[in-house]
Amino acid sequence: PRQYSQPVLGNQQSPMPREIELLGCSGLQISDSSDMADDAAAVVWDSALVLLHYLSKRQREGRCLVSGRPVLELGSGTGVVGLAAAALGASSVALTDLSHVLPNIQRNIQANQAAIGSARVAALPLSWGDPAHLREVWAWFGQAEQHHQSSAPFNLLVLASDLAYESATLPALTKVLRSCLQGQTQVAEDSQGQGQACSPQQRILLAYEEREGMDELWEEALAASKLEAHLVPEEEQHEDWRTPEIKLYWVQACSPSWSSGLD
């Protein structure tokens, strides 16, 4: 059994908004969707809580991952992880999911305006097999960050929780993860207009709940897309919101050497 020191929201719908406390921020009010009784996107899942409290812990330690940077959440569901990123200081946040999920995400955005503050937040459609959707997401970031954007914005942080639970979705999922990492090797102009290499900063932080028969398939799908996952040690996660059953991974394109670049 999971040993959380606080009640887990669990995987049940609630007719009342649920409060998510974040260190140093206004609490979030998150509503489940009563319109999607059998939909995985209708509720807050445990892995989302592990992920968002890891973000909160990093802020408490003065190593905030989201402050002042664009954030993309994949498979947002209720939007709780992306809204937490906005509350913790992200400059812009795109909460993405299938179109039928977006109305509930929009309700949660509206209910959390005080916590969001000055961050620009939008609920956007993103079907993993639709490249047009991804282009629209990049275009939105371009407007939000006030510059032209035709690919993933530099310094983008991608957040995802509990997306790998059906083998049929893995190829499309890893493909969109790869697309989010494109453009890592960019050239910026310095103050004299000379090109200089930028260190890669696009990163994916993924929470994954272990499921029988899925772990090997997930590893194979990552390898097939030339992606590698690096485990966040449990002792680095939030002391009250961690469990051996839920893993946090940094995902990036395969490379000879690796660093999160964010410590």
Side-chain angles (χ1 to χ4, degrees):
R2 295 175 188 154
Q3 300 297 317
Y4 291 116
S5 65
Q6 305 179 50
V8 175
L9 294 188
N11 305 330
Q12 301 180 34
Q13 293 184 11
S14 170
M16 299 294 293
R18 293 168 169 175
E19 184 171 1
I20 310 292
E21 294 184 2
L22 292 171
L23 181 70
C25 301
S26 300
L28 297 175
Q29 299 292 325
I30 301 297
S31 295
D32 298 332
S33 176
S34 59
D35 300 330
M36 301 184 297
D38 298 319
D39 198 304
V43 296
V44 174
W45 293 84
D46 294 344
S47 57
L49 299 175
V50 171
L51 176 52
L52 70 86
H53 284 292
Y54 175 66
L55 297 177
S56 178
K57 176 178 182 287
R58 291 284 301 235
Q59 185 190 59
R60 181 185 69 192
E61 296 171 344
R63 301 187 300 145
C64 188
L65 291 170
V66 299
S67 181
R69 72 187 305 172
V71 172
L72 166 63
E73 185 185 7
L74 298 174
S76 296
T78 62
V80 63
V81 173
L83 288 169
L88 291 168
S91 59
S92 57
V93 181
L95 306 175
T96 66
D97 213 310
L98 299 177
S99 296
H100 73 278
V101 180
L102 300 186
N104 190 53
I105 296 177
Q106 188 59 47
R107 284 191 289 268
N108 283 327
I109 293 173
Q110 294 172 349
N112 288 283
Q113 288 298 315
I116 291 170
S118 61
R120 295 196 62 178
V121 181
L124 301 174
L126 179 55
S127 173
W128 299 337
D130 189 340
H133 278 177
L134 199 55
R135 289 193 295 269
E136 291 169 3
V137 171
W138 301 151
W140 179 84
F141 274 117
Q143 294 177 350
E145 298 291 314
Q146 299 183 340
H147 57 77
H148 175 70
Q149 196 68 60
S150 59
S151 62
F154 190 67
N155 207 35
L156 176 71
L157 178 63
V158 180
L159 301 175
S161 60
D162 221 3
L163 302 185
Y165 55 87
E166 292 182 351
S167 59
T169 66
L170 291 179
L173 171 57
T174 53
K175 184 175 181 179
V176 78
L177 293 178
R178 183 77 188 183
S179 296
C180 291
L181 291 170
Q182 287 178 350
Q184 273 196 50
T185 306
Q186 300 192 26
V187 175
E189 289 189 356
D190 61 19
S191 58
Q192 285 75 44
Q194 300 296 316
Q196 59 179 13
C198 294
S199 60
Q201 287 293 306
Q202 275 88 337
R203 287 291 183 266
I204 297 168
L205 182 57
L206 183 145
Y208 167 69
E209 183 166 0
E210 294 181 330
R211 290 179 170 86
E212 185 176 358
M214 282 296 298
D215 294 355
E216 184 176 343
L217 294 175
W218 174 230
E219 292 175 3
E220 291 174 355
L222 286 173
S225 294
K226 297 184 178 179
L227 297 172
E228 56 190 22
H230 299 265
L231 184 67
V232 176
E234 189 173 332
E235 60 268 21
E236 292 184 12
Q237 300 174 34
H238 194 289
E239 56 274 13
D240 294 329
W241 292 93
R242 60 190 181 194
T243 170
E245 298 171 4
I246 297 176
K247 309 295 185 184
L248 284 180
Y249 291 101
W250 285 108
V251 178
Q252 73 152 45
C254 292
S255 62
S257 59
W258 181 87
S259 169
S260 72
L262 299 167
D263 292 325

